[in-house]
Amino acid sequence: MRKEFSQWAENRGRTYSDFIFLTGDLGFNALEGVQEAMGPRFLNAGVSEQNMISMAAALAHQGLSPLCYSIAPFAVFRPAEQIRVDLCLHNMNVKIVGNGGGYGYGIMGPTHHAIEDIGVLSGFPKMKCFIPFCNSAVASVADEMMNYKGPSYLRLGYGVAPDTIESFDIYHSIQKIKSGNNLTIIGLGPIILNALQAIDELEQSADCFVINELPIPELSKTLRDSILKTSKVLVIEEHVSRGGLAEHLAFHLCKMAIAPKIFVSHSAQGYPSGLSGNQVFHQTESGLDKESIKRTLVRLFNS
Amino acid sequence: MRTFFPYQPYLSSSTLIHHLGSYRSFYGRLGGLILVSHPGVKPKTQIEKNLENLQKIRTESAIELLGLYKKANAGHIASSLSCLEILIYLSCHKMKESDYLILSKGHAACGLYVALAQAGRLSKDLLSTYYANGTMLAAHPSCSGKIPSIPFGTGSLGHGLSLATGLVLSQQFTKKNFKVFAVLSDGDCNEGSTWEAALFAGHHQLQNLHVIIDYNKLQGIGSTESILDMQPMNRKWEEFGFETFVAEDGNDFDGLNLAFKSLEELDSKKPKCIVANTTKGHGVSFMQNRVEWHYLPMSETEFKKAIEETDA
């Protein structure tokens, strides 16, 4: 997704003179085009995420439109207080972009993973988290983030181009990407693609939704109707369930007194073995790989 | 006959000696420039009259401040008194309309409020609401943005310098021209984020950035010397790329004026830092240099004594 994001940022930089791109000294072999397009409006803040966020708050105070880029854990966890105080409590129009959300940086290890980022951010006032699920959705989701005049976070995962579903250049906070009758699958980010592949291999069908934005303002009618119809919900996210999609959904369902018979959450489990590996290794340890999801799907389709 | 020094014409002999040291060390750093005194009496300039007036403002502000703290039964009194002269000097004398003041040591908010009110940058009517439910004037400056002269809420240390740095950085894109003054505490200088901002400001030569360290050498629960010794403070800022001046008495308007004028005289592209040697609880004998007055509210007796000493 980083390539699609870089292209989007380059275009944005060429079009909007108030757009300022700050990086925490990351983006090698990715942001060169952005730098070339933006000239002095592309600024390397150094490995100083706290200072980068607070400076961005001040740039926004002066009417500019700053974006702060780093890898997801460094962009969120190190400057969490600066995000809370200088951006969110002040409602500053600053965008944070974190690359490699979830286990995206695989063998780099837990310091480079972000599986609690949305949980941390989504409780902050005014903060909106945007999570594109596939490469072709990056530009529309990023545009939507810019349309929102407040603090926001774009979580870039490792996505593959979806070849079985149509293009997603029109933004919806809750987007239906596949239809079926027996089950409602709700996903966050590119991990939903594992579920799509699993369904195809099982030659089954299900209502599949992706959530592009957290916190969810409200459940769409289409999603509500699907859950009422199937009464079986599978939530998939490369994020811990606490503070993640599963908890957000459960809150809304309780509020609306909708109680599906089955509510299964596949979420990041952290580091159960204490061992390291690539992204798929960690997904597999958490039951987020295609085969694990397939096993759950078989159980749900047969229940 | 008085001895005349640039920017500081009418000093008592003791103050003169006091400032001579800093003046020498300042120019000494520039390569041993010879200090020349100019005998003679000059009529008072407008600036000198303004500085005299600041002392009156200081007395009024301190009385106001003590009254607000007493009414609120609140602490952080000594923190405000430590930097009251700095805040008054900036708000009532130094700053232009378009300049920004960021109080990174947000716990001295009451000092900021009274200084801004004196400068006409904050409605005096608001002062009476200090600490009350529904007020815009909390113990720490609010994040609401409702008061234009307080651009950012502070209170958690280590944010102010980054915010100030960002404001100055914005000038590269907006082409606006203003100065930004950030007042930092000893505790602020413990925070890593402060030094991130200092590195950035020094590297990018953000010349409109002015840092004033309210260097009273006390922090949360003890002396900086015993907790995290920051000596030599001025050298640290110099090494981070700042033009630095030590105000030997940061509670003295003449001393502050000398510091600012001396840095301006350099016409340097670097950001500026004044290490202002201050006294925590300045002006109230029983609070001075006492850690507990970072926290304590005043009893009736203490309040009366503080007012007597301030109004003397």
Side-chain angles (χ1 to χ4, degrees):
Chain A
M1 284 187 183
R2 195 168 69 160
K3 187 173 148 224
E4 288 74 16
F5 166 73
S6 299
Q7 188 56 57
W8 170 87
E10 193 178 320
N11 295 341
R12 183 95 194 173
R14 288 190 200 282
T15 313
Y16 292 89
S17 61
D18 62 346
F19 184 56
I20 313 293
F21 197 107
L22 299 167
T23 173
D25 199 28
L26 284 168
F28 176 72
N29 211 13
L31 299 177
E32 288 76 8
V34 184
Q35 182 169 14
E36 194 183 327
M38 295 184 66
R41 288 183 292 121
F42 179 97
L43 204 56
N44 190 338
V47 190
S48 310
E49 295 83 5
Q50 298 174 84
N51 183 50
M52 175 167 69
I53 294 291
S54 299
M55 286 198 310
L59 295 178
H61 181 272
Q62 292 297 301
L64 297 163
S65 173
L67 180 150
C68 300
Y69 175 90
S70 188
I71 75 167
F74 304 165
V76 174
F77 302 126
R78 172 64 68 93
E81 191 192 62
Q82 278 77 7
I83 296 171
R84 175 179 176 267
V85 176
D86 299 334
L87 304 190
C88 296
L89 289 175
H90 288 81
N91 193 21
M92 289 296 179
N93 183 24
V94 173
K95 311 307 174 192
I96 301 164
V97 177
N99 192 48
Y103 295 113
Y105 277 95
I107 191 67
M108 294 294 122
T111 56
H112 284 52
H113 300 160
I115 54 175
E116 314 91 348
D117 49 343
I118 292 162
V120 168
L121 293 178
S122 61
F124 292 166
K126 313 284 187 193
M127 172 57 77
K128 284 192 179 191
C129 302
F130 293 89
I131 311 102
F133 81 99
C134 66
N135 293 338
S136 56
V138 169
S140 64
V141 173
D143 280 340
E144 182 63 23
M145 174 175 74
M146 299 309 288
N147 290 338
Y148 171 61
K149 300 302 176 196
S152 24
Y153 169 61
L154 182 69
R155 187 203 219 211
L156 299 175
Y158 277 176
V160 294
D163 50 5
T164 56
I165 44 182
E166 66 267 36
S167 162
F168 284 93
D169 47 6
I170 298 172
Y171 178 85
H172 298 284
S173 57
I174 299 174
Q175 205 155 8
K176 191 171 184 181
I177 56 174
K178 205 171 179 67
S179 293
N181 289 317
N182 297 322
L183 175 65
T184 304
I185 301 175
I186 310 166
L188 186 82
I191 197 73
I192 189 72
L193 299 173
N194 283 358
L196 295 181
Q197 287 177 3
I199 290 170
D200 285 348
E201 289 179 18
L202 290 170
E203 296 182 343
Q204 290 279 1
S205 69
D207 275 347
C208 289
F209 294 84
V210 286
I211 305 297
N212 285 318
E213 181 183 327
L214 281 178
I216 316 166
E218 59 178 5
L219 298 191
S220 65
K221 184 175 183 309
T222 320
L223 178 55
R224 271 200 322 265
D225 289 347
S226 174
I227 295 170
L228 288 169
K229 176 184 70 180
T230 66
S231 205
K232 287 189 277 189
V233 175
L234 171 61
V235 184
I236 302 174
E237 56 188 316
E238 200 165 322
H239 186 280
V240 295
S241 59
R242 183 164 294 177
L245 177 59
E247 272 197 1
H248 281 90
L249 274 174
F251 169 74
H252 281 285
L253 292 175
C254 284
K255 241 183 12 174
M256 293 185 296
I258 297 173
K261 284 181 187 157
I262 298 172
F263 185 95
V264 177
S265 161
H266 276 226
S267 61
Q269 299 300 308
Y271 306 93
S273 70
L275 303 174
S276 296
N278 63 16
Q279 185 176 18
V280 173
F281 171 85
H282 289 290
Q283 289 175 346
T284 305
E285 280 213 322
S286 291
L288 289 166
D289 59 302
K290 188 180 69 182
E291 292 306 319
S292 298
I293 292 171
K294 209 191 270 185
R295 284 194 291 277
T296 298
L297 286 175
V298 169
R299 186 162 56 85
L300 291 177
F301 284 128
N302 293 332
S303 62
Chain B
M1 186 179 287
R2 291 175 185 268
T3 306
F4 172 63
F5 284 85
Y7 312 123
Q8 200 179 8
Y10 304 109
L11 296 171
S12 66
S13 56
S14 60
T15 319
L16 181 64
I17 292 162
H18 205 53
H19 286 278
L20 193 57
S22 65
Y23 209 79
R24 275 184 175 145
S25 63
F26 169 64
Y27 276 108
R29 193 169 59 76
L30 292 178
L33 214 122
I34 299 165
L35 188 66
V36 182
S37 62
H38 302 274
V41 178
K42 275 185 64 178
K44 290 186 179 180
T45 64
Q46 191 57 45
I47 288 176
E48 290 150 18
K49 286 178 190 167
N50 287 348
L51 289 177
E52 280 183 1
N53 194 37
L54 288 183
Q55 197 53 49
K56 289 178 198 156
I57 293 174
R58 193 267 168 203
T59 305
E60 283 176 25
S61 300
I63 291 168
E64 176 98 63
L65 180 143
L66 290 166
L68 291 175
Y69 272 118
K70 181 71 191 98
K71 187 179 161 199
N73 195 33
H76 290 136
I77 307 165
S79 309
S80 283
L81 289 172
S82 178
C83 59
L84 188 58
E85 292 81 7
I86 295 170
L87 296 172
I88 289 170
Y89 178 85
L90 292 170
S91 305
C92 301
H93 176 74
K94 183 73 192 161
M95 289 171 63
K96 292 181 182 161
E97 187 72 27
S98 56
D99 293 343
Y100 289 98
L101 168 58
I102 296 175
L103 180 67
S104 191
K105 49 171 291 185
H107 52 284
C110 193
L112 177 68
Y113 300 151
V114 295
L116 291 176
Q118 285 283 359
R121 294 168 190 258
L122 177 85
S123 162
K124 285 199 173 182
D125 294 342
L126 277 181
L127 288 180
S128 62
T129 71
Y130 174 63
Y131 241 78
N133 286 333
T135 187
M136 286 197 268
L137 306 183
H140 298 87
S142 152
C143 302
S144 68
K146 288 183 190 296
I147 301 169
S149 56
I150 302 178
F152 299 100
T154 49
S156 174
L157 297 178
H159 289 234
L161 186 56
S162 291
L163 293 164
T165 300
L167 284 177
V168 178
L169 176 67
S170 75
Q171 298 177 334
Q172 295 183 6
F173 312 115
T174 62
K175 307 302 175 197
K176 290 182 196 167
N177 188 23
F178 51 77
K179 290 189 168 76
V180 182
F181 301 92
V183 178
L184 274 62
S185 66
D186 302 75
D188 264 312
C189 295
N190 285 186
E191 295 278 7
S193 52
T194 293
W195 298 103
E196 288 184 8
L199 270 177
F200 187 94
H203 178 84
H204 289 274
Q205 300 209 319
L206 300 180
Q207 60 178 315
N208 284 338
L209 176 65
H210 297 72
V211 180
I212 302 98
I213 313 290
D214 175 11
Y215 194 30
N216 60 40
K217 299 165 200 70
L218 288 174
Q219 54 186 98
I221 54 172
S223 69
T224 54
E225 190 182 14
S226 67
I227 296 165
L228 281 178
D229 193 358
M230 300 303 292
Q231 292 285 12
M233 182 68 94
N234 59 322
R235 288 267 308 280
K236 289 181 172 62
W237 290 90
E238 278 173 27
E239 294 297 335
F240 274 70
F242 283 63
E243 295 291 0
T244 306
F245 192 94
V246 178
E248 296 294 343
D249 184 354
N251 297 113
D252 173 68
F253 290 116
D254 290 326
L256 290 170
N257 199 49
L258 172 69
F260 277 99
K261 290 290 178 189
S262 301
L263 288 175
E264 274 167 20
E265 190 79 352
L266 293 175
D267 196 22
S268 167
K269 288 195 187 316
K270 292 181 179 180
K272 323 290 185 297
C273 176
I274 292 170
V275 177
N277 285 310
T278 52
T279 301
K280 188 156 189 156
H282 176 68
V284 178
S285 59
F286 59 91
M287 290 185 191
Q288 288 191 168
N289 294 318
R290 305 285 301 186
V291 166
E292 61 267 36
W293 284 99
H294 188 91
Y295 305 97
L296 292 176
M298 290 171 283
S299 67
E300 283 297 333
T301 313
E302 286 162 342
F303 174 61
K304 278 180 191 161
K305 187 166 173 12
I307 290 288
E308 279 169 18
E309 290 184 12
T310 303
D311 208 11

PDB file of all heavy atoms in Angstrom, chain B residues 291-312:
ATOM      1  N   VAL B 291      10.702  24.057  47.997  1.00  0.00           N
ATOM      2  CA  VAL B 291      10.021  23.101  47.113  1.00  0.00           C
ATOM      3  C   VAL B 291       8.530  22.999  47.428  1.00  0.00           C
ATOM      4  O   VAL B 291       7.696  22.891  46.526  1.00  0.00           O
ATOM      5  CB  VAL B 291      10.683  21.700  47.230  1.00  0.00           C
ATOM      6  CG1 VAL B 291       9.794  20.627  46.596  1.00  0.00           C
ATOM      7  CG2 VAL B 291      12.022  21.701  46.529  1.00  0.00           C
ATOM      8  N   GLU B 292       8.191  23.035  48.717  1.00  0.00           N
ATOM      9  CA  GLU B 292       6.794  22.798  49.099  1.00  0.00           C
ATOM     10  C   GLU B 292       5.833  23.829  48.505  1.00  0.00           C
ATOM     11  O   GLU B 292       4.649  23.556  48.306  1.00  0.00           O
ATOM     12  CB  GLU B 292       6.633  22.746  50.619  1.00  0.00           C
ATOM     13  CG  GLU B 292       7.028  24.009  51.367  1.00  0.00           C
ATOM     14  CD  GLU B 292       8.474  23.983  51.850  1.00  0.00           C
ATOM     15  OE1 GLU B 292       9.322  23.433  51.127  1.00  0.00           O
ATOM     16  OE2 GLU B 292       8.741  24.542  52.945  1.00  0.00           O
ATOM     17  N   TRP B 293       6.387  25.013  48.154  1.00  0.00           N
ATOM     18  CA  TRP B 293       5.504  26.038  47.600  1.00  0.00           C
ATOM     19  C   TRP B 293       5.240  25.847  46.106  1.00  0.00           C
ATOM     20  O   TRP B 293       4.592  26.659  45.468  1.00  0.00           O
ATOM     21  CB  TRP B 293       6.024  27.437  47.914  1.00  0.00           C
ATOM     22  CG  TRP B 293       5.728  27.754  49.352  1.00  0.00           C
ATOM     23  CD1 TRP B 293       6.588  27.667  50.407  1.00  0.00           C
ATOM     24  CD2 TRP B 293       4.456  28.103  49.909  1.00  0.00           C
ATOM     25  NE1 TRP B 293       5.940  27.954  51.586  1.00  0.00           N
ATOM     26  CE2 TRP B 293       4.623  28.225  51.311  1.00  0.00           C
ATOM     27  CE3 TRP B 293       3.177  28.307  49.378  1.00  0.00           C
ATOM     28  CZ2 TRP B 293       3.569  28.555  52.164  1.00  0.00           C
ATOM     29  CZ3 TRP B 293       2.133  28.647  50.220  1.00  0.00           C
ATOM     30  CH2 TRP B 293       2.332  28.763  51.593  1.00  0.00           C
ATOM     31  N   HIS B 294       5.737  24.723  45.616  1.00  0.00           N
ATOM     32  CA  HIS B 294       5.282  24.274  44.297  1.00  0.00           C
ATOM     33  C   HIS B 294       3.833  23.794  44.414  1.00  0.00           C
ATOM     34  O   HIS B 294       3.084  23.798  43.435  1.00  0.00           O
ATOM     35  CB  HIS B 294       6.174  23.120  43.812  1.00  0.00           C
ATOM     36  CG  HIS B 294       5.937  22.703  42.396  1.00  0.00           C
ATOM     37  ND1 HIS B 294       6.624  23.242  41.340  1.00  0.00           N
ATOM     38  CD2 HIS B 294       5.070  21.817  41.849  1.00  0.00           C
ATOM     39  CE1 HIS B 294       6.205  22.691  40.205  1.00  0.00           C
ATOM     40  NE2 HIS B 294       5.257  21.836  40.493  1.00  0.00           N
ATOM     41  N   TYR B 295       3.465  23.371  45.623  1.00  0.00           N
ATOM     42  CA  TYR B 295       2.174  22.688  45.794  1.00  0.00           C
ATOM     43  C   TYR B 295       1.200  23.378  46.743  1.00  0.00           C
ATOM     44  O   TYR B 295      -0.003  23.300  46.551  1.00  0.00           O
ATOM     45  CB  TYR B 295       2.414  21.270  46.343  1.00  0.00           C
ATOM     46  CG  TYR B 295       3.361  20.470  45.483  1.00  0.00           C
ATOM     47  CD1 TYR B 295       4.711  20.361  45.789  1.00  0.00           C
ATOM     48  CD2 TYR B 295       2.896  19.834  44.327  1.00  0.00           C
ATOM     49  CE1 TYR B 295       5.583  19.636  44.997  1.00  0.00           C
ATOM     50  CE2 TYR B 295       3.762  19.103  43.521  1.00  0.00           C
ATOM     51  CZ  TYR B 295       5.104  19.010  43.861  1.00  0.00           C
ATOM     52  OH  TYR B 295       5.951  18.312  43.052  1.00  0.00           O
ATOM     53  N   LEU B 296       1.742  24.046  47.784  1.00  0.00           N
ATOM     54  CA  LEU B 296       0.874  24.457  48.887  1.00  0.00           C
ATOM     55  C   LEU B 296      -0.024  25.647  48.552  1.00  0.00           C
ATOM     56  O   LEU B 296       0.399  26.569  47.857  1.00  0.00           O
ATOM     57  CB  LEU B 296       1.732  24.845  50.099  1.00  0.00           C
ATOM     58  CG  LEU B 296       2.500  23.725  50.791  1.00  0.00           C
ATOM     59  CD1 LEU B 296       3.378  24.306  51.904  1.00  0.00           C
ATOM     60  CD2 LEU B 296       1.520  22.698  51.360  1.00  0.00           C
ATOM     61  N   PRO B 297      -1.237  25.633  49.055  1.00  0.00           N
ATOM     62  CA  PRO B 297      -2.044  26.864  49.058  1.00  0.00           C
ATOM     63  C   PRO B 297      -1.685  27.679  50.309  1.00  0.00           C
ATOM     64  O   PRO B 297      -1.033  27.176  51.212  1.00  0.00           O
ATOM     65  CB  PRO B 297      -3.481  26.338  49.137  1.00  0.00           C
ATOM     66  CG  PRO B 297      -3.370  25.023  49.829  1.00  0.00           C
ATOM     67  CD  PRO B 297      -1.988  24.473  49.564  1.00  0.00           C
ATOM     68  N   MET B 298      -2.129  28.939  50.337  1.00  0.00           N
ATOM     69  CA  MET B 298      -1.760  29.808  51.469  1.00  0.00           C
ATOM     70  C   MET B 298      -2.828  29.791  52.556  1.00  0.00           C
ATOM     71  O   MET B 298      -4.028  29.771  52.257  1.00  0.00           O
ATOM     72  CB  MET B 298      -1.617  31.265  50.987  1.00  0.00           C
ATOM     73  CG  MET B 298      -0.429  31.522  50.119  1.00  0.00           C
ATOM     74  SD  MET B 298      -0.490  33.197  49.398  1.00  0.00           S
ATOM     75  CE  MET B 298      -1.703  32.982  48.095  1.00  0.00           C
ATOM     76  N   SER B 299      -2.376  29.839  53.810  1.00  0.00           N
ATOM     77  CA  SER B 299      -3.304  30.087  54.917  1.00  0.00           C
ATOM     78  C   SER B 299      -3.603  31.593  54.930  1.00  0.00           C
ATOM     79  O   SER B 299      -2.939  32.369  54.230  1.00  0.00           O
ATOM     80  CB  SER B 299      -2.673  29.660  56.243  1.00  0.00           C
ATOM     81  OG  SER B 299      -1.571  30.521  56.523  1.00  0.00           O
ATOM     82  N   GLU B 300      -4.541  31.995  55.771  1.00  0.00           N
ATOM     83  CA  GLU B 300      -4.860  33.426  55.880  1.00  0.00           C
ATOM     84  C   GLU B 300      -3.628  34.221  56.299  1.00  0.00           C
ATOM     85  O   GLU B 300      -3.328  35.282  55.740  1.00  0.00           O
ATOM     86  CB  GLU B 300      -5.978  33.646  56.909  1.00  0.00           C
ATOM     87  CG  GLU B 300      -7.376  33.294  56.434  1.00  0.00           C
ATOM     88  CD  GLU B 300      -7.834  34.159  55.259  1.00  0.00           C
ATOM     89  OE1 GLU B 300      -7.349  35.315  55.115  1.00  0.00           O
ATOM     90  OE2 GLU B 300      -8.649  33.661  54.453  1.00  0.00           O
ATOM     91  N   THR B 301      -2.921  33.710  57.303  1.00  0.00           N
ATOM     92  CA  THR B 301      -1.733  34.402  57.818  1.00  0.00           C
ATOM     93  C   THR B 301      -0.667  34.516  56.731  1.00  0.00           C
ATOM     94  O   THR B 301      -0.056  35.578  56.553  1.00  0.00           O
ATOM     95  CB  THR B 301      -1.156  33.619  59.025  1.00  0.00           C
ATOM     96  OG1 THR B 301      -2.237  33.292  59.889  1.00  0.00           O
ATOM     97  CG2 THR B 301      -0.102  34.422  59.747  1.00  0.00           C
ATOM     98  N   GLU B 302      -0.476  33.420  56.025  1.00  0.00           N
ATOM     99  CA  GLU B 302       0.545  33.420  54.968  1.00  0.00           C
ATOM    100  C   GLU B 302       0.156  34.388  53.850  1.00  0.00           C
ATOM    101  O   GLU B 302       1.006  35.093  53.301  1.00  0.00           O
ATOM    102  CB  GLU B 302       0.714  32.000  54.406  1.00  0.00           C
ATOM    103  CG  GLU B 302       1.453  31.066  55.354  1.00  0.00           C
ATOM    104  CD  GLU B 302       1.254  29.595  55.034  1.00  0.00           C
ATOM    105  OE1 GLU B 302       0.298  29.251  54.312  1.00  0.00           O
ATOM    106  OE2 GLU B 302       2.049  28.774  55.528  1.00  0.00           O
ATOM    107  N   PHE B 303      -1.109  34.416  53.542  1.00  0.00           N
ATOM    108  CA  PHE B 303      -1.579  35.321  52.494  1.00  0.00           C
ATOM    109  C   PHE B 303      -1.316  36.775  52.881  1.00  0.00           C
ATOM    110  O   PHE B 303      -0.781  37.565  52.083  1.00  0.00           O
ATOM    111  CB  PHE B 303      -3.070  35.086  52.240  1.00  0.00           C
ATOM    112  CG  PHE B 303      -3.687  36.058  51.272  1.00  0.00           C
ATOM    113  CD1 PHE B 303      -3.231  36.141  49.956  1.00  0.00           C
ATOM    114  CD2 PHE B 303      -4.724  36.894  51.661  1.00  0.00           C
ATOM    115  CE1 PHE B 303      -3.794  37.043  49.055  1.00  0.00           C
ATOM    116  CE2 PHE B 303      -5.288  37.797  50.777  1.00  0.00           C
ATOM    117  CZ  PHE B 303      -4.826  37.870  49.475  1.00  0.00           C
ATOM    118  N   LYS B 304      -1.651  37.121  54.113  1.00  0.00           N
ATOM    119  CA  LYS B 304      -1.449  38.501  54.574  1.00  0.00           C
ATOM    120  C   LYS B 304       0.026  38.874  54.517  1.00  0.00           C
ATOM    121  O   LYS B 304       0.403  39.954  54.076  1.00  0.00           O
ATOM    122  CB  LYS B 304      -1.969  38.662  56.017  1.00  0.00           C
ATOM    123  CG  LYS B 304      -3.482  38.883  56.076  1.00  0.00           C
ATOM    124  CD  LYS B 304      -3.957  39.044  57.502  1.00  0.00           C
ATOM    125  CE  LYS B 304      -5.487  38.988  57.526  1.00  0.00           C
ATOM    126  NZ  LYS B 304      -6.013  38.697  58.842  1.00  0.00           N
ATOM    127  N   LYS B 305       0.869  37.961  54.972  1.00  0.00           N
ATOM    128  CA  LYS B 305       2.310  38.231  54.973  1.00  0.00           C
ATOM    129  C   LYS B 305       2.821  38.385  53.525  1.00  0.00           C
ATOM    130  O   LYS B 305       3.623  39.288  53.235  1.00  0.00           O
ATOM    131  CB  LYS B 305       3.036  37.085  55.679  1.00  0.00           C
ATOM    132  CG  LYS B 305       4.523  37.324  55.907  1.00  0.00           C
ATOM    133  CD  LYS B 305       5.052  36.301  56.916  1.00  0.00           C
ATOM    134  CE  LYS B 305       6.522  36.260  57.161  1.00  0.00           C
ATOM    135  NZ  LYS B 305       7.401  37.258  56.712  1.00  0.00           N
ATOM    136  N   ALA B 306       2.333  37.524  52.661  1.00  0.00           N
ATOM    137  CA  ALA B 306       2.773  37.592  51.251  1.00  0.00           C
ATOM    138  C   ALA B 306       2.367  38.920  50.624  1.00  0.00           C
ATOM    139  O   ALA B 306       3.150  39.550  49.897  1.00  0.00           O
ATOM    140  CB  ALA B 306       2.171  36.423  50.469  1.00  0.00           C
ATOM    141  N   ILE B 307       1.149  39.358  50.934  1.00  0.00           N
ATOM    142  CA  ILE B 307       0.675  40.639  50.388  1.00  0.00           C
ATOM    143  C   ILE B 307       1.506  41.793  50.952  1.00  0.00           C
ATOM    144  O   ILE B 307       1.922  42.698  50.221  1.00  0.00           O
ATOM    145  CB  ILE B 307      -0.826  40.840  50.708  1.00  0.00           C
ATOM    146  CG1 ILE B 307      -1.680  39.850  49.897  1.00  0.00           C
ATOM    147  CG2 ILE B 307      -1.260  42.286  50.435  1.00  0.00           C
ATOM    148  CD1 ILE B 307      -1.784  40.134  48.413  1.00  0.00           C
ATOM    149  N   GLU B 308       1.759  41.735  52.253  1.00  0.00           N
ATOM    150  CA  GLU B 308       2.556  42.800  52.886  1.00  0.00           C
ATOM    151  C   GLU B 308       3.930  42.922  52.223  1.00  0.00           C
ATOM    152  O   GLU B 308       4.384  44.011  51.902  1.00  0.00           O
ATOM    153  CB  GLU B 308       2.752  42.492  54.382  1.00  0.00           C
ATOM    154  CG  GLU B 308       1.557  42.865  55.245  1.00  0.00           C
ATOM    155  CD  GLU B 308       1.684  42.301  56.665  1.00  0.00           C
ATOM    156  OE1 GLU B 308       2.813  41.933  57.069  1.00  0.00           O
ATOM    157  OE2 GLU B 308       0.650  42.205  57.319  1.00  0.00           O
ATOM    158  N   GLU B 309       4.544  41.793  52.005  1.00  0.00           N
ATOM    159  CA  GLU B 309       5.888  41.816  51.405  1.00  0.00           C
ATOM    160  C   GLU B 309       5.841  42.295  49.961  1.00  0.00           C
ATOM    161  O   GLU B 309       6.751  42.988  49.498  1.00  0.00           O
ATOM    162  CB  GLU B 309       6.504  40.410  51.461  1.00  0.00           C
ATOM    163  CG  GLU B 309       6.867  39.972  52.867  1.00  0.00           C
ATOM    164  CD  GLU B 309       7.573  38.618  52.878  1.00  0.00           C
ATOM    165  OE1 GLU B 309       7.966  38.137  51.796  1.00  0.00           O
ATOM    166  OE2 GLU B 309       7.720  38.046  53.976  1.00  0.00           O
ATOM    167  N   THR B 310       4.787  41.947  49.277  1.00  0.00           N
ATOM    168  CA  THR B 310       4.675  42.310  47.859  1.00  0.00           C
ATOM    169  C   THR B 310       4.361  43.787  47.701  1.00  0.00           C
ATOM    170  O   THR B 310       4.833  44.451  46.769  1.00  0.00           O
ATOM    171  CB  THR B 310       3.562  41.473  47.194  1.00  0.00           C
ATOM    172  OG1 THR B 310       3.874  40.100  47.391  1.00  0.00           O
ATOM    173  CG2 THR B 310       3.463  41.753  45.710  1.00  0.00           C
ATOM    174  N   ASP B 311       3.567  44.299  48.619  1.00  0.00           N
ATOM    175  CA  ASP B 311       3.086  45.678  48.516  1.00  0.00           C
ATOM    176  C   ASP B 311       4.030  46.672  49.197  1.00  0.00           C
ATOM    177  O   ASP B 311       3.755  47.868  49.225  1.00  0.00           O
ATOM    178  CB  ASP B 311       1.687  45.764  49.158  1.00  0.00           C
ATOM    179  CG  ASP B 311       0.875  46.882  48.532  1.00  0.00           C
ATOM    180  OD1 ASP B 311       1.323  47.422  47.500  1.00  0.00           O
ATOM    181  OD2 ASP B 311      -0.189  47.210  49.073  1.00  0.00           O
ATOM    182  N   ALA B 312       5.112  46.153  49.751  1.00  0.00           N
ATOM    183  CA  ALA B 312       6.003  47.015  50.536  1.00  0.00           C
ATOM    184  C   ALA B 312       6.676  48.069  49.660  1.00  0.00           C
ATOM    185  O   ALA B 312       6.972  47.810  48.510  1.00  0.00           O
ATOM    186  CB  ALA B 312       7.050  46.162  51.225  1.00  0.00           C
TER     187      ALA B 312
END
